[in-house]
Amino acid sequence: MPRTRAQLLAVVTAAAVALTVAGTQSGAQAGDRDRRGPGVAERPTKVVIIVVDALSKEIVDTYDMRNVEALMKDGVDTPNGYLGHTGSVTVVTHNVVTTGALPKNMGWTTEGYRDVDGLLGAPGGLYITSNFGRAQMAPLQQAAGYPHLSDYLDDTGTVFTVSPKGYAAWGLSGPGSANTSTITFGSGPTCPNPDGTTTRYRQPTGFNVPAYFSAACGSRWLARRDTIYDTGQFPAQLYPATDHRYVVGNDPAQAGGDVWATDAVLEIMDQEGDDWSGIFVSLPGVDKAAHMWGGVNDPEGATPGYDPMTHMEYAAATADAQVGRIVQALEESGQLDDTLVVLTADHGSVAAAEGHFHGDFEPENDYGYYNWYYGSPANDVPYLRPQEALLPLIEGTDDGTGDSNVGLSYSDSSLNVWLDDQSSAAVADAAAIMADLPDVTAVWQRRGDRYQRVTPVRWDRMHGAEKRWFATKAQELVDTQAADYGPDLIATLPDDTTYSVLGDHGGIQRASQQVPIVFAGAGTSHHDLRAEVRSVDIMPTILRAMGIAPTVPMDGTAHELPVRRGGRP
């Protein structure tokens, strides 16, 4: 029987949900202090970055995430901030946040990648980047020539990265050094149960994983596999929850998902004491629920066999509780005044409205991958079952040999296409077909360091504020992908449209772009930054706050953080 919401919230620590930053920042109960108190560092010496995957501002408001709202109120919020790049996807943004590099300068731009220089194999090979591990990301990161935040911090203490998603972890952490540690999930043991059955698990893996993250049967750090709950049905079956990588589960002794990641962060703080300089953590629960159930359109209790654990309300409450636990742990350890806390998201979530979901569905797990991808990537199985909405492009670029000119396509809340024949005529033919695909608002062709719009804008497919957003942001956002390894063509889509799963990321829509960017701790004040702060600005702003001179230029802007009077980071 599904548990009540009250029972579920108890699992994710009700006390933490009620926590407010005003009550945890040292001395903040009485408002901003006139000067720094005893023991407060002149500048922060540590950084904690919390990335709540898919956390749009709309989700924060809709689900009343009180700890996140408290950080926004009592820390340095950025009410005009936004993601600031495409593709607005996990595998891109985690790397943007800790490098200050836009996708066009960081090595890959979205979930598709053309290996122009042969860094991973034969030159020109097409890859899916969300399959990348350290072995694939590191050559691209190193070829781009930028340092990660961990490279600036690892001289003063170990830098830890924690994420249940491997590609998120490697983006946040960078290639790593002897003084960095990256903890994610890999395949684990099959363990016996008292009743004679066995259970498969995932276990901690990564780079320089501390020995206290045991992978032995019975360890708290294992996460159960083969757990689908109510997600084996439409729409969740397009991308179902099949283990506790993203879902908390029913066993508090081996909780998965966001609780696992936060428990790992707290274990690091406890084990390492003061001997760390950075902790970067990615919480993926909201992202998984939004993909499965359509974001804020989640039907919740109307779902047959409803289990709240896999849905948006529970995921938002869980993530919010973990934010509270991390800030509380910093306060209780006496490290909050020395630690700059950054809260952000890797993208928001576009919820497909009725009639604006253009993917196909078959009753088989993970069918959404056939909506996301078309082609035969070098690092995955072939995806040659394109959804009906994309067929005009796949079939219309056939030169008569039976082969489509689409080498790879990636579709979410935008359409991204890499062509085999990149001649002007072939690109123009494909662009003309894309313009007529369902709900496309414009088609953009990559030309050098920018994308040129090559079709009229379909203003009739947008409404009010959406039109204004498109007019002011579309060109800027698509241009951030303008690299020779990026897509040849991009088609933008309206606010409420996806081609993949019912809740998705990827495009220029406000729901994808309007994410929280908050700075707290380390003597910051409650005064907001009114500039249009972007994700690419996070890294240079951290370095400025810490008084660290960058060793290479960055694409982002270093903003000065407002602080309580008496000193500045």
Side-chain angles (χ1 to χ4, degrees):
M1 176 180 295
R3 294 174 295 175
T4 66
R5 175 164 169 76
Q7 290 171 319
L8 291 166
L9 291 180
V11 174
V12 297
T13 314
V17 176
L19 181 68
T20 62
V21 176
T24 60
Q25 283 192 328
S26 179
Q29 296 92 331
D32 287 351
R33 294 181 294 181
D34 289 336
R35 57 185 180 276
R36 290 176 178 268
V40 179
E42 186 66 22
R43 292 184 182 273
T45 59
K46 301 176 184 293
V47 179
V48 169
I49 299 177
I50 306 169
V51 183
V52 182
D53 293 3
L55 188 65
S56 65
K57 293 179 182 179
E58 179 183 25
I59 289 173
V60 173
D61 293 341
T62 299
Y63 296 101
D64 190 22
M65 299 177 68
R66 286 179 281 172
N67 290 317
V68 172
E69 290 169 337
L71 278 178
M72 296 169 78
K73 177 178 180 294
D74 296 301
V76 180
D77 191 17
T78 59
N80 299 315
Y82 63 107
L83 194 72
H85 61 263
T86 56
S88 53
V89 294
T90 300
V91 72
V92 170
T93 305
H94 284 73
N95 200 70
V96 169
V97 165
T98 53
T99 64
L102 288 170
K104 65 182 181 180
N105 295 321
M106 69 174 232
W108 65 97
T109 69
T110 187
E111 290 213 27
Y113 166 73
R114 192 193 301 276
D115 190 12
V116 177
D117 297 323
L119 297 172
L120 303 180
L126 295 167
Y127 292 79
I128 293 175
T129 59
S130 56
N131 289 338
F132 284 177
R134 181 171 182 259
Q136 294 77 38
M137 275 195 187
L140 308 188
Q141 293 163 330
Q142 290 163 347
Y146 48 72
H148 269 70
L149 180 56
S150 58
D151 296 318
Y152 290 99
L153 299 179
D154 63 4
D155 286 342
T156 57
T158 304
V159 180
F160 294 89
T161 299
V162 178
S163 174
K165 291 181 184 177
Y167 55 90
W170 302 119
L172 276 174
S173 69
S177 68
N179 212 24
T180 63
S181 173
T182 304
I183 304 113
T184 184
F185 271 137
S187 296
T190 298
C191 298
N193 299 316
D195 63 0
T197 62
T198 59
T199 299
R200 297 196 309 156
Y201 291 92
R202 294 193 180 275
Q203 69 180 31
T205 188
F207 179 74
N208 288 340
V209 178
Y212 47 81
F213 289 109
S214 168
C217 287
S219 167
R220 183 274 165 274
W221 304 113
L222 299 183
R224 184 170 178 164
R225 305 179 73 171
D226 307 317
T227 53
I228 198 164
Y229 300 105
D230 62 346
T231 68
Q233 60 187 307
F234 181 80
Q237 194 177 23
L238 287 163
Y239 184 48
T242 55
D243 60 27
H244 290 168
R245 181 196 296 265
Y246 307 131
V247 176
V248 173
N250 293 312
D251 183 359
Q254 287 185 320
D258 292 0
V259 176
W260 181 91
T262 302
D263 283 356
V265 168
L266 301 190
E267 183 73 10
I268 289 166
M269 291 182 183
D270 184 58
Q271 293 278 352
E272 303 294 331
D274 199 46
D275 295 333
W276 60 273
S277 57
I279 296 176
F280 314 148
V281 58
S282 175
L283 305 178
V286 170
D287 178 84
K288 185 66 173 178
H291 280 309
M292 291 191 297
W293 299 114
V296 295
N297 291 342
D298 188 340
E300 294 285 349
T303 303
Y306 174 58
D307 190 324
M309 187 184 300
T310 75
H311 289 263
M312 284 294 296
E313 185 176 13
Y314 180 86
T318 301
D320 191 57
Q322 308 323 304
V323 172
R325 292 177 66 206
I326 292 170
V327 176
Q328 185 178 40
L330 288 168
E331 170 65 15
E332 291 177 349
S333 67
Q335 298 180 98
L336 186 58
D337 280 326
D338 299 328
T339 303
L340 182 62
V341 178
V342 181
L343 172 72
T344 191
D346 53 352
H347 53 76
S349 179
V350 175
E354 185 175 356
H356 295 277
F357 172 60
H358 300 301
D360 289 348
F361 174 74
E362 293 291 341
E364 56 187 84
N365 289 348
D366 286 321
Y367 192 82
Y369 284 96
Y370 291 102
N371 294 330
W372 273 316
Y373 309 120
Y374 172 82
S376 298
N379 62 338
D380 207 335
V381 300
Y383 293 100
L384 302 176
R385 297 160 67 180
Q387 62 265 64
E388 183 177 353
L390 204 64
L391 278 177
L393 174 64
I394 305 304
E395 296 176 348
T397 56
D398 184 345
D399 61 4
T401 66
D403 294 326
S404 173
N405 190 34
V406 177
L408 182 68
S409 71
Y410 172 66
S411 306
D412 48 14
S413 67
S414 66
L415 307 180
N416 305 269
V417 175
W418 292 256
L419 299 173
D420 290 330
D421 179 356
Q422 297 172 273
S423 67
S424 297
V427 174
D429 287 346
I433 296 171
M434 291 175 72
D436 290 330
L437 296 180
D439 279 333
V440 167
T441 57
V443 180
W444 312 73
Q445 178 182 347
R446 178 171 50 80
R447 291 183 175 169
D449 62 355
R450 68 187 301 271
Y451 278 88
Q452 180 175 338
R453 182 171 54 79
V454 292
T455 67
V457 177
R458 289 295 303 269
W459 298 107
D460 59 308
R461 292 178 171 174
M462 295 181 274
H463 303 280
E466 181 182 6
K467 295 180 180 180
R468 294 190 292 274
W469 178 265
F470 184 99
T472 57
K473 298 298 182 186
Q475 184 73 59
E476 170 200 337
L477 293 170
V478 297
D479 280 351
T480 63
Q481 284 206 73
D484 53 5
Y485 46 77
D488 299 309
L489 293 167
I490 297 172
T492 47
L493 302 172
D495 273 358
D496 56 358
T497 303
T498 70
Y499 269 61
S500 45
V501 292
L502 261 67
D504 215 351
H505 44 42
I508 66 169
Q509 297 91 336
R510 293 167 299 162
S512 271
Q513 292 288 324
Q514 292 182 331
V515 300
I517 301 174
V518 186
F519 302 89
T524 54
S525 81
H526 65 274
H527 297 292
D528 295 340
L529 286 174
R530 296 294 173 180
E532 289 191 320
V533 181
R534 306 159 297 161
S535 299
V536 74
D537 301 334
I538 291 173
M539 168 78 159
T541 299
I542 289 172
L543 294 185
R544 177 171 181 167
M546 299 186 78
I548 298 173
T551 57
V552 300
M554 288 175 283
D555 295 321
T557 298
H559 297 277
E560 183 170 358
L561 298 178
V563 297
R564 301 193 296 272
R565 285 180 295 173
R568 65 181 182 86

